[in-house]
Amino acid sequence: PVCSMGNSTSRLYSALAKTLSSSAVSQHQDCLEQPDSAQLDPIDPKDLLEECQIVLQKRPPRFQRDFVDLKKNTASNHRPIRVMQWNILAQALGEGKDNFVQCPMEALKWEERKCLILEEILAYKPDILCLQEVDHYFDTFEPLLSRLGYQCTFFPKPWSPCLDVEQNNGPDGCALFFLKDRFELINSANIRLTAMKLKTNQVAIAQTLKCNETGRLFCVAVTHLKARTGWERFRSAQGDDLLQNLKSITQGAKIPLIICGDFNAEPTEEVYREFSNSSLNLNSAYKLLSPDGQSEPPYTTWKIRPSGECRHTLDYIWYSQHALKVNSALGLLTEEQIGPNRLPSFNYPSDHLSLVCDFSFNQDPDRLL
């Protein structure tokens, strides 16, 4: 099924419409290999944004969120690196398992919700995009984002809960995207997290990139830790395993590090303290929005389930504070913007808010001597 594109005819009709249905694959079981998206024509992001807006013309306009300038009168000698972290809500879970009692099913239709997700990505233009709960990677995000100039990597959960939902679109997992004209991939690792020496259902991707403009290396990682109350020790063990992996990959923090994730953990949890106190010298970027620079936001997810209202801070962008500085961060939605029915909604596609930060490298001390 292809959604109505409204009255306007778009040059990208086929690009967006093809991602709405995987029926073409099911009709040709003998050619299940993914097409090489690099061979497809590039897409102008403005054209794709216009296409999304045509699909969304009956929905309310996107929320206005402003960047907060965090620079302390320090000039950078290179263009900032914009990093976006977002749990986009797996389609199978949103429709089949998560039970958002105040969200109409109509608001969760993939044909429109995917355009809300793309609109948010296109609005903030990240250089690096880290997503969780991606269950439409091969039919939507990889084909479109690769044509926007991103290199794309996906690592699914071994036993994704999406597979329990009828008419699912395959497993969900973590995905990492970076702009090929800004960075060169040096090394990539798919990590299946362990806890108490047991392999778990949670994963991470860690990639070492070279910034083409400065020649400097840095590592970016994306992860999604185990959910639910009662699993705090499990999350702590997963976090410890991820930190051990990242220590090895960054040669003990010689290579600067950015870690994006839905940690499913409030700042009071042990796994948060592990990251705060790690020898990798990490800080949480969104703390810098608080007056004292020491407090996380009051929430990054806000939803209503049958058990009641859930408002939590679970999503983070960690960074090497010795090597990187945060120039700005995207402010969160206010309670008034979110509205009484909370998230997701006709206005907003996920139950988690996107986090976006602009980073720059600190001047290399060796070069100042």
Side-chain angles (χ1 to χ4, degrees):
V2 174
C3 63
S4 164
M5 293 296 180
N7 298 324
S8 307
T9 305
S10 167
R11 284 169 284 170
L12 284 173
Y13 174 83
S14 60
L16 196 54
K18 277 176 188 168
T19 70
L20 299 178
S21 167
S22 53
S23 58
V25 174
S26 58
Q27 288 166 14
H28 302 285
Q29 291 296 330
D30 54 332
C31 20
L32 280 173
E33 279 189 27
Q34 290 300 321
D36 183 358
S37 300
Q39 304 302 316
L40 300 172
D41 292 335
I43 295 174
D44 185 325
K46 289 178 185 167
D47 288 344
L48 185 57
L49 184 57
E50 182 185 303
E51 178 79 1
C52 289
Q53 287 165 346
I54 291 166
V55 176
L56 297 171
Q57 56 192 341
K58 292 181 182 173
R59 292 212 179 199
R62 206 173 58 81
F63 291 123
Q64 175 64 37
R65 295 169 65 187
D66 298 315
F67 280 90
V68 179
D69 189 351
L70 299 167
K71 288 196 295 290
K72 295 181 180 155
N73 302 318
T74 53
S76 171
N77 60 354
H78 68 90
R79 199 152 50 109
I81 297 168
R82 178 163 290 181
V83 177
M84 184 172 188
Q85 147 61 28
W86 200 10
N87 177 332
I88 59 171
L89 174 60
Q91 184 62 22
L93 301 184
E95 285 188 305
K97 279 196 164 212
D98 277 346
N99 216 346
F100 302 116
V101 291
Q102 297 291 98
C103 178
M105 284 303 286
E106 186 76 6
L108 294 171
K109 279 169 49 180
W110 180 241
E111 291 88 343
E112 294 179 11
R113 199 173 77 84
K114 71 181 277 273
C115 290
L116 275 178
I117 295 168
L118 289 166
E119 185 184 46
E120 180 110 343
I121 294 167
L122 290 163
Y124 298 127
K125 306 184 182 78
D127 300 303
I128 296 167
L129 173 63
C130 295
L131 301 180
Q132 299 87 34
E133 290 201 22
V134 179
D135 63 347
H136 275 269
Y137 176 81
F138 292 108
D139 65 358
T140 299
F141 293 103
E142 194 274 340
L144 286 175
L145 291 176
S146 64
R147 294 175 68 188
L148 291 168
Y150 289 91
Q151 183 148 332
C152 313
T153 306
F154 175 64
F155 191 28
K157 293 175 186 167
W159 316 297
S160 165
C162 292
L163 299 176
D164 298 335
V165 178
E166 276 190 47
Q167 296 184 307
N168 66 74
N169 200 64
D172 77 300
C174 292
L176 200 162
F177 308 85
F178 66 85
L179 286 176
K180 290 188 284 188
D181 66 351
R182 290 214 63 188
F183 312 107
E184 177 190 346
L185 179 64
I186 303 300
N187 181 56
S188 186
N190 287 354
I191 303 163
R192 184 171 170 189
L193 298 175
T194 64
M196 301 90 168
K197 299 188 178 174
L198 298 172
K199 289 183 176 177
T200 74
N201 193 34
Q202 279 64 46
V203 300
I205 303 168
Q207 296 191 330
T208 304
L209 306 178
K210 183 167 93 171
C211 174
N212 292 336
E213 187 180 342
T214 64
R216 295 187 59 172
L217 296 180
F218 67 103
C219 175
V220 61
V222 55
T223 195
H224 187 185
L225 302 187
K226 172 70 183 163
R228 295 199 172 82
T229 307
W231 291 84
E232 292 81 6
R233 287 185 62 201
F234 196 82
R235 280 190 287 275
S236 174
Q238 289 183 325
D240 183 59
D241 182 48
L242 179 57
L243 286 168
Q244 294 307 319
N245 275 282
L246 293 174
K247 279 175 192 170
S248 172
I249 289 167
T250 62
Q251 301 161 29
K254 283 182 185 168
I255 298 171
L257 180 60
I258 298 169
I259 309 162
C260 294
D262 174 357
F263 279 62
N264 275 307
E266 291 272 11
T268 51
E269 270 198 37
E270 178 63 31
V271 67
Y272 183 92
R273 290 193 291 277
E274 282 174 358
F275 275 72
S276 294
N277 301 326
S278 162
S279 62
L280 293 172
N281 195 24
L282 301 171
N283 193 20
S284 172
Y286 263 71
K287 279 167 50 177
L288 302 180
L289 288 181
S290 66
D292 62 357
Q294 299 300 313
S295 308
E296 292 290 351
Y299 51 84
T300 62
T301 177
W302 200 340
K303 52 206 160 204
I304 301 175
R305 285 187 165 140
S307 55
E309 197 153 338
C310 311
R311 189 185 96 145
H312 298 292
T313 300
L314 306 177
D315 306 271
Y316 306 96
I317 299 178
W318 297 91
Y319 68 101
S320 300
Q321 54 189 343
H322 64 285
L324 297 164
K325 58 177 173 280
V326 185
N327 298 346
S328 61
L330 183 66
L332 298 170
L333 294 179
T334 64
E335 180 175 357
E336 184 181 18
Q337 284 175 313
I338 290 172
N341 294 333
R342 309 314 185 199
L343 305 173
S345 64
F346 281 109
N347 296 73
Y348 195 79
S350 176
D351 55 327
H352 288 252
L353 300 177
S354 62
L355 309 181
V356 187
C357 291
D358 289 336
F359 289 96
S360 58
F361 292 107
N362 287 329
Q363 295 291 334
D364 187 339
D366 294 339
R367 293 181 188 170
L368 299 178
L369 296 175

